[in-house]
Amino acid sequence: MIASTAPAGKGPAGKGSHRQTQVDPLAPLRAPDDPPWDVYLTGTVFLDIIFTGLDSAPVRGTESWARGMGSSPGGVANMATALARLGLRTSLAAAFGDDHYGDYCWDALEHGEGIDLSPSRTVPGWHSPVTVSMAYEGERTMVSHGHEPPPEEPAPECPPRARAAVASLAPGVSAPWIAQAASKGTRVFGDVGWDDTGAWDLAALPDLRHCEAFLPNAEEAMRYTRADCPRAAAHALTEYVPLAVVTLGADGAYAVDRRTGETAEVPAIEVEALDPTGAGDVFVAGFVTGTLADWPLADRLAFAGLTAALSVQEFGGSLSAPGWSEIAAWWRKVQSVEGQSAAALERYGFLADLVSEELVRPWPLRRAVPTIGFRRSA
C-alpha cells in the first residue's frame, strides 16, 4: 500500500464564487459535436449533518459530545460534486426543499461547484430531507428524516444528451430515463445500495441490462451472485453487464471487463480517515472520469481509490470530494515520503501527465461547516 501524508485543502469559498477547473481530463477527446454534458444524474438531495470524533456509538440514556461537526449537501449531491471537482461537465435533476436548507444546497451546488441545475426545481411547501451521520471507529451510523418526495420529482423521460449517466438501481424499480439515455448512446454506470427485501436477485434490477458498468461493494456483489469471494462475484456479474467493479474496502478494488477479458486489482491507500461519508460516491466519480478519459482499467481503479481516500480526510460527503489541486499535492508529497515503495509509486505514475506545477497552489474549495448561514464579513 502507498501511505499518504498530504492533508486535504481547507477553507470555504465565498458565496457565489465559481471555481475554475484546473484540469480537464477529457480535453484530448472533446469535439464540437459532443453532448453538452459529460455526466447526467438524478436523485434526492439531502442536507447532511456530520458528527465526528466520537469515541463510540451513542449509548442509550447518555449524552455524547462530538469533537467535530460539519454540514453539507448530501444524497445525490455527493456524486455530482465529486464529478464536477474532477473537471466533468455535470448536470443534475433533483427536487430541492422550499426552505433555508434547500437554498443552501442549491447555492453550494450551482454557484459553489458549477453544477448545471437547469433540470432541477424547488418544490413549494416541501422541506429538505435531512441526514445526521455519526462517525466513530472508522464506521458511521446515520439517522434520516424526510417526507415522501413529490410525485413530480425530476427523473425526466428525456434526459439531456450526456456522455455518461450514473444510475442508482433499486430492486423492483425501473426508471424509464435509463433506457432512453442508453438508447441515445449515453454510457450508464449502475450504482446500488443494500437490498432491504433480502432477495438479492439480479433479475429484480431490470435497468442493469442498460448499464455499461456495475459497481457494488464486496458484500453486495457476493450476495447478488452467491459467490464465496468478491473476485469470483465480479466475474459472475459480467454475465449481466460488460464491466464489473467490486470495491473491497480496506483491500482496494477489483474489476473485470468482459469485452477485453482484462482484470485489474489495486490495493487501497492508507490514510487517516475522519469521515467515510460519501467515499463510495467519490470512488464511482473517479472511475467514471477515468473511463470517459479512456484510461487503462488499472489506472481507473487506482484513481478512483485515490479520490475516495482523499475524501475521507474531510467532513461530509459532497464537500469532502477532492479537486485536482489536492490530487497534485498528494502526488508530489507522497513521492517525498522516505522509504516509499517504488512499485507503489509506479502504480500512480499516470498522474504525472495530468498534473502540472501550477496545481501546487491551493485554490478555495467549499468545505462542510459547523452551521449554515454565517454572515460573511466584507
Side-chain angles (χ1 to χ4, degrees):
M1 294 185 182
I2 197 166
S4 170
T5 60
K10 306 287 184 178
K15 182 177 180 179
S17 65
H18 259 298
R19 177 179 51 80
Q20 296 298 318
T21 299
Q22 297 189 353
V23 171
D24 180 0
L26 307 189
L29 305 174
R30 295 199 185 279
D33 60 347
D34 281 347
W37 306 111
D38 295 327
V39 186
Y40 169 75
L41 301 162
T42 185
T44 303
V45 173
F46 286 72
L47 175 76
D48 282 355
I49 301 173
I50 307 99
F51 294 100
T52 66
L54 291 163
D55 295 323
S56 63
V59 178
R60 181 178 180 180
T62 67
E63 181 179 17
S64 300
W65 280 81
R67 291 187 288 275
M69 175 184 169
S71 302
S72 67
V76 72
N78 296 343
M79 186 88 66
T81 301
L83 289 162
R85 288 187 173 185
L86 293 177
L88 299 190
R89 300 167 184 174
T90 304
S91 182
L92 171 63
F96 286 78
D98 185 22
D99 51 23
H100 288 303
Y101 290 170
D103 291 345
Y104 162 75
C105 290
W106 188 292
D107 176 81
L109 298 177
E110 183 178 55
H111 297 105
E113 306 300 332
I115 295 167
D116 168 54
L117 296 182
S118 58
S120 296
R121 65 195 177 88
T122 297
V123 180
W126 185 62
H127 78 74
S128 299
V130 176
T131 292
V132 175
S133 176
M134 293 161 280
Y136 54 89
E137 298 175 353
E139 297 293 338
R140 60 176 178 157
T141 297
M142 296 184 293
V143 178
S144 297
H145 171 72
H147 297 300
E148 285 294 319
E152 315 84 71
E153 182 175 3
E157 293 186 354
C158 296
R161 287 179 61 233
R163 295 174 188 262
V166 181
S168 181
L169 308 180
V173 177
S174 181
W177 73 265
I178 297 175
Q180 293 164 4
S183 69
K184 297 176 183 178
T186 297
R187 304 165 73 175
V188 181
F189 294 75
D191 193 16
V192 71
W194 190 258
D195 184 358
D196 290 329
T197 70
W200 297 100
D201 181 8
L202 286 168
L205 301 177
D207 291 325
L208 185 60
R209 66 182 184 275
H210 303 300
C211 295
E212 172 176 325
F214 186 45
L215 298 96
N217 64 32
E219 185 67 22
E220 292 160 350
M222 289 189 292
R223 285 178 179 266
Y224 271 121
T225 62
R226 278 56 174 178
D228 57 3
C229 80
R231 292 161 187 81
H235 284 273
L237 286 171
T238 59
E239 297 181 14
Y240 300 87
V241 67
L243 177 58
V245 181
V246 177
T247 55
L248 310 175
D251 292 328
Y254 183 81
V256 184
D257 191 330
R258 182 186 69 204
R259 297 162 298 190
T260 64
E262 184 181 9
T263 64
E265 183 167 1
V266 174
I269 293 173
E270 295 177 352
V271 295
E272 184 175 345
L274 173 66
D275 174 25
T277 303
D281 294 323
V282 177
F283 180 94
V284 173
F287 190 82
V288 170
T289 300
T291 301
L292 295 183
D294 286 341
W295 297 348
L297 184 58
D299 289 355
R300 286 181 261 165
L301 277 188
F303 185 72
L306 169 61
T307 55
L310 293 178
S311 77
V312 302
Q313 297 179 94
E314 286 283 354
F315 284 109
S318 61
L319 303 187
S320 68
W324 282 102
S325 183
E326 292 158 306
I327 293 167
W330 176 86
W331 174 235
R332 291 183 173 83
K333 181 68 175 179
V334 79
Q335 292 177 80
S336 67
V337 175
E338 186 176 352
Q340 189 66 267
S341 164
L345 286 176
E346 185 178 357
R347 171 62 273 154
Y348 295 88
F350 66 94
L351 292 175
D353 296 328
L354 291 166
V355 298
S356 62
E357 290 298 326
E358 289 75 17
L359 286 174
V360 174
R361 178 180 58 82
W363 93 95
L365 289 175
R366 283 193 178 200
R367 292 300 183 197
V369 293
T371 191
I372 296 170
F374 270 133
R375 293 183 176 86
R376 299 184 185 278
S377 58

